[in-house]
Amino acid sequence: MVPISLSVVAYIFVGLVGAVLGAGLYEVFRRRSALARRAEAEDQSAQIVQSAQREAENLVKEAKLEAKDLVFQARIELEKEQKAKLAEVSNSERRVSQREEGLDRKLGLLEKRDQEALKREQDLLKREETLVQKDAACAQALKQHREALERVAGLTAEEAKRQLIQDLDSQARLEAAGLAKRLLEEAKENADREAREIIASSIQRVTRDYVNEATISVVPIANDAMKGRIIGREGRNIRAIEAATGIDLIIDETPEAVIISGFDPLRREIAKVSLERLMHDGRIHPTRIEEIVEKVKVDIEKLMIEEAEKVIFEVGLSDFHPELVKVLGRLKYRTSYGQNNLYHAREAAYICGIMASELKLDVKLAKRGALLHDIGKAVSHEEEGPHAMLGAEIAKKYGENAKVVNAIAAHHEQVEPICPETVLVAAAEALSAARPGARREALESYVKRLEKLESLATVHKGVQKAYAIQAGREIRVIVKQEDLTDPECFQLSRDLAKKIEQELTYPGQIKVTVIRESRFVDFAK
């Protein structure tokens, strides 16, 4: 056991010694390495310092070179600026010298002109003295001449002047009246020619058939036996029809026909359709009659609206208030002197649209005003007032344009027009109404109108005779030659035309012709 422990101790000792030696060697090696690294670092720092010094020296050299270049360039720029300033100064001096030379020349010219002006002034003074002397001599001669004329004429200068002014005034008035007459006639001729062309082309492009509305309607029946059924027991059926429709039924010896008489076209149409339906149905008694009449009234109302919409579509318009369409449809069963108002409004819209197109005006506005111009007649029996004003109120109520409202109100000249389209609406309405055959009037009212037309002319001073011709569309007035002059005849025609417009109601227009005839009579003996 002892030898084993000694060997272990020896090993441990050897190990310790080796460890101590190793540590010492490591420490020595570490110190040498540190010294070597320090020396190397010192060498590197020395090299860095040297390189930094070299770079600093190079930068200093480069900075000196750049500074020299900048100084050199600044010197060159300064020299250039000095040269430019010197050149500018020399140019300024040259311009100043040129101006001085120019001023010297102008001064010389001014002095020369002053001398010439002084010379002319002296000449003018001499001429003025001469003119004053001549003026005095002329005034003296004129005075002597005037005195001689006054002695010869027996009038003073003031009296002669007044007489001359009076003669010139009357002559100027006569010439002015003749010139005004000629200019007005030329303007009328040109305006009438253009208006005739436009109206003729407008009417030629609108072709419509005319069927005057009467106060009776005829309903054909299958046989005479149907008449008895229509009359009913003791006439109760015919009384029921008349009570429900407000018209008269005339059942006479006319074969296979019943006559419906009444002044209201709407009531006549309701009675006609109701009677046709009753005959088709076969059940004719008072209760059934009342039912049929009520249904026909509703159907006629729808028919009027459809007819109004059809007319609106035909003239190319749209955007009407439904109530306005309903009022327009009621014109289908309204007439004026036998002319159907709805078809009259449609024709007026066509004519007005064509004339507006020819004159480059608003065609839609013109057509709209012409189509609605008579809607007041649909309610004129329900409310008081002129139909033009009633129609304007209706159009305004349902949102129509202010120009359309004015066209409706002014088509009979009850208000002033505010646009050219309003005048066209009035003209189109008159053209449609004045077409031959479009309207009819009673013989009695026709004769009274002609008598009134002639009486309006005969009350004027100097009128010898007056004749209404061309069915009352022209009046010829024959005046006394010794009582009226030509300008007075011209004025008479204008006054008479205005008086006819104010006091007479007539369709279309009336031509006024004033005739002044000169007759010179002598006898050969």
Side-chain angles (χ1 to χ4, degrees), residues 20-37:
V20 170
L21 290 175
L25 290 173
Y26 172 76
E27 180 66 21
V28 172
F29 181 74
R30 186 182 66 78
R31 288 182 179 179
R32 288 182 179 179
S33 297
L35 291 173
R37 283 196 298 273

Side-chain angles (χ1 to χ4, degrees), residues 46-203:
Q47 292 176 0
I48 291 170
V49 169
Q50 291 176 359
S51 63
Q53 289 177 351
R54 286 195 298 272
E55 289 179 359
E57 291 175 355
N58 292 332
L59 290 174
V60 169
K61 291 178 181 179
E62 291 176 357
K64 289 181 179 179
L65 291 174
E66 290 178 358
K68 290 180 180 180
D69 290 339
L70 291 173
V71 170
F72 182 71
Q73 292 178 358
R75 187 178 299 168
I76 292 173
E77 294 293 332
L78 182 61
E79 290 176 355
K80 288 181 179 179
E81 291 180 359
Q82 289 178 349
K83 289 180 180 179
K85 289 182 178 179
L86 290 174
E88 185 177 356
V89 169
S90 63
N91 290 332
S92 300
E93 291 177 352
R94 186 169 57 256
R95 286 195 297 271
V96 169
S97 63
Q98 291 175 353
R99 288 181 181 177
E100 289 178 352
E101 293 175 358
L103 289 174
D104 292 338
R105 287 195 298 272
K106 289 181 179 179
L107 184 60
L109 291 173
L110 289 175
E111 291 176 353
K112 186 177 179 180
R113 289 178 182 175
D114 288 340
Q115 294 175 358
E116 292 176 353
L118 182 61
K119 185 178 179 181
R120 280 197 295 270
E121 186 177 357
Q122 293 174 354
D123 293 340
L124 288 174
L125 289 174
K126 292 179 181 178
R127 290 182 182 181
E128 185 177 0
E129 293 176 356
T130 305
L131 289 175
V132 168
Q133 295 174 359
K134 289 182 178 180
D135 190 17
C138 289
Q140 183 65 27
L142 182 62
K143 182 178 180 182
Q144 294 174 358
H145 181 66
R146 185 180 298 170
E147 291 175 352
L149 288 176
E150 289 177 356
R151 286 195 302 270
V152 172
L155 295 174
T156 64
E158 293 298 327
E159 292 174 349
K161 186 185 297 183
R162 284 195 297 271
Q163 184 175 354
L164 179 61
I165 289 174
Q166 290 176 357
D167 294 341
L168 291 175
D169 181 63
S170 59
Q171 183 178 359
R173 288 179 182 274
L174 184 60
E175 292 179 356
L179 179 61
K181 179 175 178 291
R182 186 172 67 255
L183 293 175
L184 188 57
E185 288 177 352
E186 292 177 357
K188 281 185 176 180
E189 288 178 1
N190 295 331
D192 289 344
R193 182 171 61 255
E194 294 182 4
R196 281 195 297 269
E197 292 176 358
I198 293 174
I199 291 172
S201 63
S202 302
I203 294 178

Side-chain angles (χ1 to χ4, degrees), residues 441-456 468 504-505:
E441 57 182 333
L443 177 62
E444 184 179 357
S445 62
Y446 169 71
V447 174
K448 286 182 178 180
R449 180 165 62 85
L450 296 188
E451 291 176 351
K452 177 68 174 177
L453 182 60
E454 292 180 353
S455 66
L456 289 177
L504 200 62
T505 302

Side-chain angles (χ1 to χ4, degrees), residues 240-434:
I241 294 173
E242 291 177 348
T245 59
I247 54 88
D248 295 328
L249 284 181
I250 302 174
I251 301 177
D252 52 15
E253 299 300 327
T254 305
E256 299 181 355
V258 174
I259 298 175
I260 301 173
S261 177
F263 289 97
D264 191 333
L266 178 59
R267 293 180 180 178
R268 284 205 317 273
E269 184 68 15
I270 292 173
K272 180 182 177 182
V273 176
S274 300
L275 191 57
E276 290 174 348
R277 290 188 183 182
L278 286 169
M279 290 188 298
H280 183 269
D281 184 61
R283 294 174 293 172
I284 305 177
H285 53 82
T287 304
R288 183 62 178 167
I289 289 171
E290 293 177 358
E291 292 177 359
I292 292 295
V293 169
E294 292 300 323
K295 289 181 180 179
V296 169
K297 288 181 179 179
V298 175
D299 293 341
I300 292 294
E301 186 77 20
K302 293 180 181 179
L303 177 63
M304 290 189 294
I305 295 174
E306 292 174 359
E307 192 69 20
E309 291 174 347
K310 179 182 176 182
V311 170
I312 290 171
F313 177 76
E314 286 179 357
V315 298
L317 299 176
S318 59
D319 297 332
F320 283 86
H321 193 281
E323 292 297 325
L324 199 58
V325 176
K326 187 181 297 185
V327 175
L328 181 63
R330 294 169 68 178
L331 293 179
K332 177 175 173 59
Y333 297 106
R334 293 281 295 176
T335 60
S336 179
Y337 294 98
Q339 185 181 29
N340 185 282
N341 281 340
L342 181 59
Y343 300 148
H344 161 62
R346 178 182 63 184
E347 183 180 67
Y350 281 128
I351 295 174
C352 195
I354 294 170
M355 290 193 296
S357 176
E358 292 289 337
L359 296 174
K360 304 296 186 296
L361 299 176
D362 191 338
V363 177
K364 295 288 186 183
L365 174 62
K367 284 185 176 182
R368 203 175 189 95
L371 183 63
L372 299 176
H373 78 277
D374 267 348
I375 58 173
K377 290 184 178 180
V379 297
S380 59
H381 60 289
E382 301 171 2
E383 301 180 19
E384 294 183 358
H387 74 273
M389 304 308 296
L390 292 175
E393 292 176 3
I394 294 171
K396 185 177 181 181
K397 177 181 177 182
Y398 294 120
E400 285 298 317
N401 187 295
K403 292 183 179 180
V404 175
V405 175
N406 178 255
I408 297 170
H411 78 274
H412 282 315
E413 299 183 359
Q414 290 168 324
V415 299
E416 291 295 325
I418 62 173
C419 61
E421 288 82 3
T422 296
V423 181
L424 288 187
V425 169
E429 190 272 340
L431 287 172
S432 176

Side-chain angles (χ1 to χ4, degrees), residues 473-491:
R473 300 191 183 278
E474 181 179 356
I475 180 170
R476 291 187 180 177
V477 182
I478 301 174
V479 301
K480 298 177 182 178
Q481 187 267 343
E482 62 275 9
D483 291 347
L484 298 176
T485 62
D486 286 343
E488 290 174 337
C489 292
F490 168 68
Q491 188 63 36

